[in-house]
Amino acid sequence: GTSRGTVREALRVLEQKGLIVIKTGTAGGAFIRSVSPQKVSESLALLIQTQQIPVKDLAEFREGVEGIATGLAARRVQKKDIARLQNLLHEARQHLERKDEGWSAFIETDNRIHMALAEISRNRLYELVLETVHDNITLYYERLLKKDAKIMKINYQDLETIIDAVVRKNPDDAQRWAEKHVKKFHRIMEEE
């Protein structure tokens, strides 16, 4: 009971959303496309890149997700993970010592630390979502954070405390410190 034009338009919309593939010809038709996490990541990345998500919403989201992922990391951390986190922290310290000149490298290492924690959580969904967030959040930092050594030092101290809780395998402390860290930097960005 639906016209061909309506069905055709509905199929075009589904194709644009990446849910189906339309093939022409005798063997053609509308075929369901396999769902991939990459599609979700691309959509989230676009929202972050175009800064259509208010920084408050992004911070609130990160606070919960990163807190939980970091708590899981503390439960699931292994010796090789501890070495990796300590190496990243050492690298961050070296950038911190370069003061303002080390800003960009420090921020990049900071992102790698956050991603390492997500990977150590051993939860693929947290890892995928946080990878998308951290690959694109730099735009917010560029616009809302003052690039100075004081901010880097505060950030470093937080990372040191978070990693210490993970190394001690204390999920409650790890989660709490990760949440505090995100909340603190949201407050700093709001003030700027």
Side-chain angles (χ1 to χ4, degrees), residues 41 44-46 48-49 111 131-140:
S41 291
L44 180 58
L46 189 58
I48 296 170
Q49 289 166 5
N111 282 343
E131 180 179 23
T132 302
V133 169
H134 282 282
D135 282 352
N136 296 285
I137 201 169
T138 307
L139 296 168
Y140 288 89

Side-chain angles (χ1 to χ4, degrees), residues 3 50 143 149:
S3 73
T50 57
R143 186 170 58 100

